[in-house]
Amino acid sequence: MTRVIRPTGVEHLLGEEELIVSKTDLKGRITYANDVFIRMAKYSWKELMGAPHSLIRHPEMPRSVFKLLWDTLQSRQEIFAYVVNLAKDGSHYWVFAHVTPTFDERGNIVGYHSNRRRPDPAQIERIKPIYKALCAEEARHANAKDGMHASFEAMVGLLKQQGVGYDEFVLSL
């Protein structure tokens, strides 16, 4: 039975000096979560281990941003992104994520590592309307995959309009 978690609108803030750390396997299943992650997500260690990282995906987080994240990681590059996560109790928390592929001694990607810190509130206020527009584009399509692709194209268009790449855009907020 799948449990549906409804957002409550209650926000929790990550401490100024805290870092959320997690590791996943190639399929995005959690293989490590630090105590800060466990506390913010409000899941037990046992509930998190082996669960898909999407367990904490907030419905107001555009799927297109995750497409960009996965495309970037699979091309062996790191990525920075603003992410709103949904805790088990319906509360949410914003993070500035730095996600990198993990390589074995032969240079093969064997998993992913993410460090997340508390973002500046002004940065979140700048990204919220963009994410809202991307989610609205996704919702305009009956098929989730089509919506994600349309939202991704909208994001690419925004970057082209501003004359910047994704990394430059994110770091300029």
Side-chain angles (χ1 to χ4, degrees):
M1 179 172 121
T2 302
R3 181 175 172 228
V4 175
I5 298 173
R6 300 200 193 296
T8 62
V10 174
E11 181 174 9
H12 292 281
L13 298 176
L14 191 59
E16 289 284 340
E17 300 299 319
E18 289 184 306
L19 281 178
I20 293 174
V21 180
S22 63
K23 294 180 183 181
T24 69
D25 64 14
L26 292 172
K27 301 267 188 197
R29 292 179 299 246
I30 299 168
T31 59
Y32 172 80
N34 73 345
D35 291 343
V36 180
F37 184 176
I38 292 166
R39 178 174 50 82
M40 293 299 291
K42 299 183 180 359
Y43 285 94
S44 70
W45 181 86
K46 188 175 181 180
E47 289 172 307
L48 290 171
M49 290 306 104
H53 211 287
S54 61
L55 178 72
I56 59 169
R57 184 184 175 279
H58 195 287
E60 294 172 9
M61 185 65 206
R63 294 168 56 95
S64 57
V65 174
F66 289 118
K67 175 184 174 7
L68 176 67
L69 183 140
W70 282 109
D71 289 352
T72 302
L73 291 173
Q74 290 170 354
S75 70
R76 308 172 67 80
Q77 303 297 310
E78 68 183 350
I79 189 167
F80 292 88
Y82 292 96
V83 179
V84 59
N85 289 318
L86 185 65
K88 184 178 179 180
D89 68 355
S91 64
H92 68 276
Y93 56 100
W94 280 92
V95 297
F96 185 59
H98 176 218
V99 189
T100 61
T102 302
F103 301 97
D104 68 11
E105 61 280 351
R106 294 183 304 277
N108 299 311
I109 298 175
V110 294
Y112 304 99
H113 181 269
S114 179
N115 291 321
R116 277 108 55 213
R117 62 183 172 89
R118 182 178 177 172
D120 182 306
Q123 296 164 325
I124 297 308
E125 290 310 309
R126 288 193 286 274
I127 201 71
K128 278 182 180 179
I130 295 167
Y131 280 9
K132 185 174 183 177
L134 293 174
C135 285
E137 179 61 33
E138 290 175 10
R140 287 185 46 236
H141 300 266
N143 176 300
K145 189 174 181 180
D146 291 344
M148 178 189 62
H149 287 294
S151 174
F152 184 82
E153 290 305 317
M155 182 172 46
V156 169
L158 172 70
L159 296 173
K160 283 183 183 176
Q161 180 182 10
Q162 294 189 9
V164 296
Y166 177 77
D167 290 341
E168 186 179 351
F169 169 74
V170 166
L171 296 174
S172 72
L173 291 174

